[in-house]
Amino acid sequence: MMIQSLKLENYRNYDFLDLEFDPGTNVFHGDNAQGKTNILESIYVCATSKSHRGTKDRELIQFDKEEAHIQMIVKKHGVPYKIDMHLKKGRSKGVAVNGVPIRKITELFGIIHVIFFSPEDLSIIKNSPAERRRFIDLELCQLDKIYTHDLVNYNKIVTQRNKLLKDLEKRPDLLDTLSVWNEQMISFGQNVILRRKTFIDELNEIIDVVHRNLTGGKEKLKLVYRPNVEADQMRDTLIQGCFRDRMAKVSLTGPHRDDLEFQINGIDVRHFGSQGQQRTAALSLKLAEIELVKNRTGDRPVFLLDDVLSELDTNRQMHLLKSIEGIQTMITCTGLDDFVQHCFHIDKKFHVSKGMILDEI
Ligand code: ATP
Ligand code: MG
């Protein structure tokens, strides 16, 4: 897969932008707050419909404007696709693929697969379980349409069931409908759990090798899926927990409360890992995803690397840059020193300044 071109209109600090990319390594360099991350973010938004930072659509639109436009021409298995995305304040976004509007945003998933790595990815390891579920969902939705369907439906049902649990106090006559929601929640929930399990198993096989390479064989990294409830126990646990749910007025059982643990040599990195170990684990996770996408789709994803080179030691930098050989990569940095020092190969350079590209070489 590769991205041929990107056009932006009224996106963050860009009035207009029109870029052609190299199929190899593209570097965006410039001072702080000039718009480097914004370019990578717009690519991620156009590919996945969401910002990697979890930002709302209206914040992506330039401050005084009502709409923003992102257009990408991408190639998958050699076939070109044109993706047009209109972001609108206060309304849902519109997306067209090859000029034809799509009905559901899920139709966008899988056209182009992008993997984003930035220092903020440490939050996957350090922050709340919600962050780790977001990671699983963002990745799996790009890879697995059935998962997306099950997850979207599951989330809708949890929202509706939670509303019912709140309404029951005033409307006890609605209690009979609870079992209808239970059945649907079990059916979609079990699928979500099983697919997450398979995804983590697959990632584990890859991440083991990746992390050993990154750490010179010293560390073994393992992902441990911690489902709130096992798929085959979901029915019993949910039904037995109905009274507790009614008291709490919220659904307490199901994959919306899952977690994922990162273990290095058997120890939980979140609580006991050093900053560097956490950072390396996050990097291994992203590199493993590249391999997983290759395995599942037979094509290479596009890799977006925001500001990471300065955060990694020389060994890890070298390993990272070796791992991205043959993959289209967009890298941001403030200066080109790291590249020059380590003789990294750059195919195209973009100098970013105040929401404009000063020069491309
Ligand atoms: P750094 O090197 O510090 O990471 P950067 O070049 O990656 O910087 P970006 O995060 O891409 O910088 O861009 C930041 C700029 O974009 C800021 O100046 C900010 O004010 C501007 N900006 C962010 N959102 C909007 C918006 N909705 N409309 C206009 N400008 C915005
Ligand atoms: Mg930035």
Side-chain angles (χ1 to χ4, degrees):
M1 296 176 199
M2 68 159 286
I3 303 170
Q4 278 186 331
S5 64
L6 171 75
K7 282 187 187 163
L8 299 179
E9 222 180 297
N10 301 333
Y11 185 92
R12 295 250 197 214
N13 66 336
Y14 290 93
D15 299 332
F16 290 100
L17 183 74
D18 190 351
L19 298 179
E20 298 270 334
F21 299 117
D22 189 274
T25 308
N26 298 272
V27 174
F28 299 86
H29 62 103
D31 293 340
N32 293 131
Q34 302 303 306
K36 301 180 298 296
T37 301
N38 292 345
I39 293 179
L40 266 51
E41 180 192 46
S42 71
I43 293 174
Y44 194 84
V45 171
C46 194
T48 68
S49 86
K50 290 196 178 89
S51 164
H52 68 288
R53 310 188 238 207
T55 315
K56 298 210 165 57
D57 282 3
R58 67 181 129 78
E59 289 161 30
L60 306 175
I61 300 169
Q62 208 169 66
F63 292 139
D64 52 348
K65 300 290 187 330
E66 288 303 307
E67 282 194 18
H69 183 204
I70 312 172
Q71 184 187 85
M72 281 203 312
I73 310 239
V74 306
K75 256 190 181 168
K76 182 185 173 187
H77 294 302
V79 181
Y81 292 83
K82 185 174 84 170
I83 306 172
D84 282 284
M85 185 172 280
H86 272 104
L87 304 165
K88 302 162 194 175
K89 266 192 189 147
R91 276 184 297 152
S92 50
K93 59 172 80 65
V95 182
V97 177
N98 294 335
V100 182
I102 59 173
R103 282 180 303 116
K104 286 188 190 155
I105 207 74
T106 51
E107 291 173 42
L108 178 69
F109 299 162
I111 294 180
I112 180 90
H113 201 121
V114 292
I115 292 173
F116 204 115
F117 183 51
S118 75
E120 290 158 34
D121 281 319
L122 264 189
S123 64
I124 298 173
I125 291 171
K126 278 166 73 167
N127 290 9
S128 65
E131 203 76 26
R132 287 179 284 285
R133 286 193 299 270
R134 201 173 93 85
F135 155 75
I136 298 176
D137 292 342
L138 279 174
E139 297 312 321
L140 210 37
C141 283
Q142 286 195 70
L143 281 169
D144 184 344
K145 281 200 189 314
I146 300 173
Y147 178 79
T148 310
H149 170 264
D150 288 334
L151 181 72
V152 168
N153 282 302
Y154 178 79
N155 286 339
K156 266 190 212 156
I157 286 155
V158 173
T159 308
Q160 281 161 338
R161 189 174 182 271
N162 285 348
K163 185 175 178 307
L164 173 68
L165 291 167
K166 286 191 180 65
D167 290 349
L168 277 177
E169 203 169 39
K170 287 187 197 135
R171 296 276 318 270
D173 57 303
L174 292 176
L175 186 58
D176 287 350
T177 59
L178 186 61
S179 60
V180 180
W181 296 122
N182 288 351
E183 282 310 313
Q184 296 197 46
M185 204 169 143
I186 293 163
S187 144
F188 289 118
Q190 284 175 327
N191 292 346
V192 168
I193 301 165
L194 292 173
R195 283 182 181 266
R196 282 183 180 171
K197 207 173 210 122
T198 313
F199 172 66
I200 303 300
D201 285 348
E202 269 179 71
L203 259 184
N204 258 327
E205 276 182 31
I206 305 167
I207 212 166
D208 185 44
V209 182
V210 170
H211 197 75
R212 275 175 202 274
N213 283 339
L214 261 184
T215 58
K218 284 192 212 112
E219 291 182 0
K220 183 175 168 55
L221 176 65
K222 192 174 173 213
L223 309 182
V224 184
Y225 178 39
R226 302 267 184 228
N228 169 265
V229 60
E230 294 290 343
D232 58 1
Q233 286 161 21
M234 186 163 169
R235 171 172 296 280
D236 288 351
T237 314
L238 186 93
I239 289 170
Q240 282 161 17
C242 277
F243 182 72
R244 203 170 55 124
D245 287 358
R246 281 170 59 195
M247 293 296 105
K249 297 189 176 62
V250 65
S251 305
L252 296 170
T253 302
H256 59 292
R257 300 172 83 91
D258 280 355
D259 201 356
L260 180 66
E261 193 176 304
F262 292 77
Q263 292 183 351
I264 289 184
N265 300 337
I267 290 162
D268 183 355
V269 189
R270 182 180 178 210
H271 292 112
F272 303 105
S274 72
Q275 185 92 347
Q277 278 179 317
Q278 292 175 343
R279 192 172 293 134
T280 312
L283 176 60
S284 293
L285 185 66
K286 297 289 161 161
L287 294 177
E289 274 180 67
I290 294 181
E291 291 305 313
L292 193 130
V293 173
K294 279 195 217 162
N295 292 350
R296 281 211 186 183
T297 68
D299 210 344
R300 294 164 176 158
V302 176
F303 202 22
L304 310 175
L305 282 169
D306 192 20
D307 248 357
V308 290
L309 286 186
S310 54
E311 302 255 338
L312 298 169
D313 65 25
T314 310
N315 265 345
R316 285 168 176 67
Q317 280 187 17
M318 295 304 278
H319 189 84
L320 171 63
L321 286 141
K322 231 174 47 218
S323 319
I324 61 174
E325 272 169 19
I327 294 177
Q328 189 184 33
T329 311
M330 318 284 178
I331 306 182
T332 70
C333 56
T334 42
L336 293 170
D337 299 353
D338 277 338
F339 289 91
V340 178
Q341 236 172 36
H342 300 301
C343 311
F344 293 145
H345 182 73
I346 304 176
D347 294 298
K348 197 159 183 181
K349 280 185 268 199
F350 300 86
H351 185 184
V352 183
S353 175
K354 295 184 190 145
M356 282 185 289
I357 300 295
L358 291 187
D359 55 60
E360 353 180 336
I361 313 169

